[in-house]
Amino acid sequence: MHTLSFKDIWSVAKKNILWIIAIPFALLLAVFVLYSYFIPKQYRSDVQLFVTVNANGAASQTYESLLMTQGLTDTYAKLIQSPKVMRNVAKETKSKEAIDTIRNKTTVNVDEKSLVYSISYKSGNPKESALVVNTIAKYASEELKALVKGTKVTTIMSGELGVAISNVSKYIIAFIIGVILSISFLIIAILLDTIVTKEEQLSEMGVDVLGDIPHVREGGKGHETTKK
């Protein structure tokens, strides 16, 4: 197979430039239509809890208390999303959704250095997202205190009216996929291109080249060479 030059690639690209440009923008348009008219907006509300354990009932935090609290971070994170907490949340908020659905919409992140637990809840209703996340924080605090004696839970930030979740990341992903598809389309177009542009291509096909016949373009601007 003959070696492709930049000129060969550019020649094929020019012939398919509309498709190459259209593919990424078509995906962006599809994402816009999808999230504007078919997929409901999602809202997120957040709560932050500061959790500490006072070892041996000490009135203030000690190094031993901090180590103990850090050792319980994974346990506390799982407990926040435990079936018992979710069941109480569903009952108090009178949610029609299943417990597993509420759990799946809940995200818990913990910063072990600061011992702050961030609880987020996504919902199609901004008021519902705030109500549910605050209720989760309420029952989670009770469970955390009941788990280990001396646990103290302080609410740093209560959940407010849910904020619409941005779709910027989805647009970026769609554009990247579009660029990849455009490049793939260009590669396929190059492989399927049957136009002979080099003498080497004729030789590879077993065609003898007897000579070149110059072809003058209209207006006398340059010339092309036809192989015979």
Side-chain angles (χ1 to χ4, degrees), residues 53-66:
V53 177
N54 294 328
N56 301 320
S60 60
Q61 281 294 306
T62 63
Y63 180 69
E64 182 183 353
S65 299
L66 292 175

Side-chain angles (χ1 to χ4, degrees), residues 15-197:
K15 291 188 294 184
N16 298 279
I17 191 66
L18 290 179
W19 284 105
I20 293 172
I21 295 176
I23 291 174
F25 287 98
L27 284 180
L28 289 176
L29 180 61
V31 172
F32 173 77
V33 172
L34 195 63
Y35 282 93
S36 296
Y37 300 100
F38 297 98
I39 299 179
K41 285 186 177 180
Q42 291 290 305
Y43 299 87
R44 187 184 71 193
S45 188
D46 303 289
V47 163
Q48 287 188 334
L49 302 178
F50 177 61
V51 182
T52 56
V53 177
N54 294 328
N56 301 320
S60 60
Q61 281 294 306
T62 63
Y63 180 69
E64 182 183 353
S65 299
L66 292 175
L67 289 179
M68 185 175 181
T69 304
Q70 289 176 338
L72 291 169
T73 52
D74 289 340
T75 301
Y76 282 162
K78 292 179 181 178
L79 188 62
I80 291 173
Q81 292 179 286
S82 66
K84 183 177 180 181
V85 171
M86 296 296 116
R87 195 160 38 246
N88 288 332
V89 170
K91 183 177 180 181
E92 180 163 324
T93 60
K94 298 179 181 179
S95 176
K96 297 180 180 179
E97 295 183 327
I99 293 175
D100 288 339
T101 302
I102 297 176
R103 183 190 295 112
N104 292 334
K105 290 184 176 183
T106 305
T107 303
V108 180
N109 294 310
V110 57
D111 184 346
E112 293 187 8
K113 295 181 179 179
S114 64
L115 303 178
V116 173
Y117 291 75
S118 298
I119 308 173
S120 303
Y121 186 79
K122 294 187 297 183
S123 172
N125 186 306
K127 292 183 179 179
E128 181 185 36
S129 63
L131 173 63
V132 173
V133 79
N134 284 321
T135 308
I136 291 174
K138 171 186 173 182
Y139 285 102
S141 297
E142 294 178 1
E143 288 300 307
L144 296 180
K145 293 175 184 177
L147 178 66
V148 179
K149 186 178 180 181
T151 297
K152 181 180 179 181
V153 182
T154 303
T155 301
I156 299 176
M157 182 182 73
S158 298
E160 298 180 351
L161 197 65
V163 178
I165 299 175
S166 174
N167 293 321
V168 172
S169 60
K170 297 180 178 62
Y171 286 112
I172 294 174
I173 293 172
F175 183 76
I176 292 174
I177 293 175
V179 171
I180 294 173
L181 290 177
S182 292
I183 294 173
S184 301
F185 176 81
L186 177 59
I187 293 172
I188 293 173
I190 292 172
L191 295 175
L192 296 179
D193 186 44
T194 58
I195 297 177
V196 177
T197 59

